[in-house]
Amino acid sequence: MIVKKKKRPVKTLARGRPPTVKKPGSISRKATRGLINSIHQLEKKKAQAAAKGDKAAEVAVDAEIAALGGIQKYQQASLQGQRNDRGGDSSRVLMEWLKPKFSASGLAADGAVRVRMLEVGALSTTNECSRSGFFDMERIDLNSQGDGILQQDFMKRPLPIGDTQTFDIISLSLVLNFVPDARTRGDMLLRTLDFLKRPYTADAHDVFPCLFLVLPAPCVTNSRYMDEPLLERIMNALGYMKTHSKITQKLVYYLWRRTVPMPARFPAFKKAELRSGSTRNNFSIVLCGSTT
């Protein structure tokens, strides 16, 4: 059965990202954490203004974000968070999960056969995966910060023509939480299926093709509209099966294996309150159901 999708305008991820300004200097650990939190809060305000069609409010929020340093300052803060003395980059967790698989399959670093990876929201060409020698990397970001990273919106990326343009793994590390609204987050998860290779084995112990997803922990542990069981139901509906997970105080890491070529149909997941309380955040994912 073929999934029929309702056509609607594709929202660009740029709408959920701060404006570009001049590159700043180094910032401290405390300032790094404060800057990231402040920009995330402002992005929520911007998304709310956009939902109401309040252009003046959007412009005002953009000005506030620019005053904090804009996308370059945010990306610099994220890069500093990837330094080893600040916990390292998220791809270290991915490599911990994948290295045993590589060893069992006989895949060697810098070998002739490599795993094709698409890294969305790439900030660096020197993270753990990039240095490992196991991957044929393609990196994209809305605002490329250097050579080796293509400036591109994932939601506007041309669809693959043939299997040679698809990937064994897609990385969405701290990307989904920056998408400006819940429905577009669902669209992004659905769109990953267009770029991943189709499942090529029924072996439940295999890990590819897969999606590496990293979110701030509160998106799952303290959201009014999202928890881990709901996230797993959404991913299962799209044909993903969780193979690995890790939760820390700050981040949640998941590896999801694609198990079916394309789900014939899947249910809708609407925004609904799961937990009450004034200290909860409003992170959510909305998935429009398929029709046949």
Side-chain angles (χ1 to χ4, degrees), residues 170-172 176 185-193 196 209-215 220 226-245 252-269 283-287:
I170 293 175
S171 171
L172 295 180
L176 198 66
R185 292 181 197 123
D187 289 346
M188 173 176 272
L189 291 176
L190 180 60
R191 188 171 172 80
T192 60
L193 298 176
L196 277 177
C210 60
L211 172 66
F212 180 54
L213 178 66
V214 182
L215 292 167
V220 174
M226 177 61 60
D227 59 14
E228 190 165 56
L230 176 57
L231 177 61
E232 189 157 2
R233 289 198 300 273
I234 291 173
M235 299 302 288
N236 289 165
L238 293 176
Y240 283 112
M241 180 185 71
K242 183 172 67 176
T243 62
H244 296 77
S245 65
V252 289
Y253 307 79
Y254 299 101
L255 193 63
W256 306 91
R257 183 170 75 90
R258 185 180 188 180
T259 59
V260 296
M262 182 65 75
R265 58 186 305 172
F266 51 86
F269 290 87
F283 179 84
S284 62
I285 298 172
V286 169
L287 190 65

Side-chain angles (χ1 to χ4, degrees), residues 117-134:
M117 175 189 282
L118 175 63
E119 184 180 4
V120 181
L123 296 175
S124 169
T125 60
T126 59
N127 63 12
E128 190 81 7
C129 286
S130 297
R131 298 195 309 269
S132 70
F134 287 107

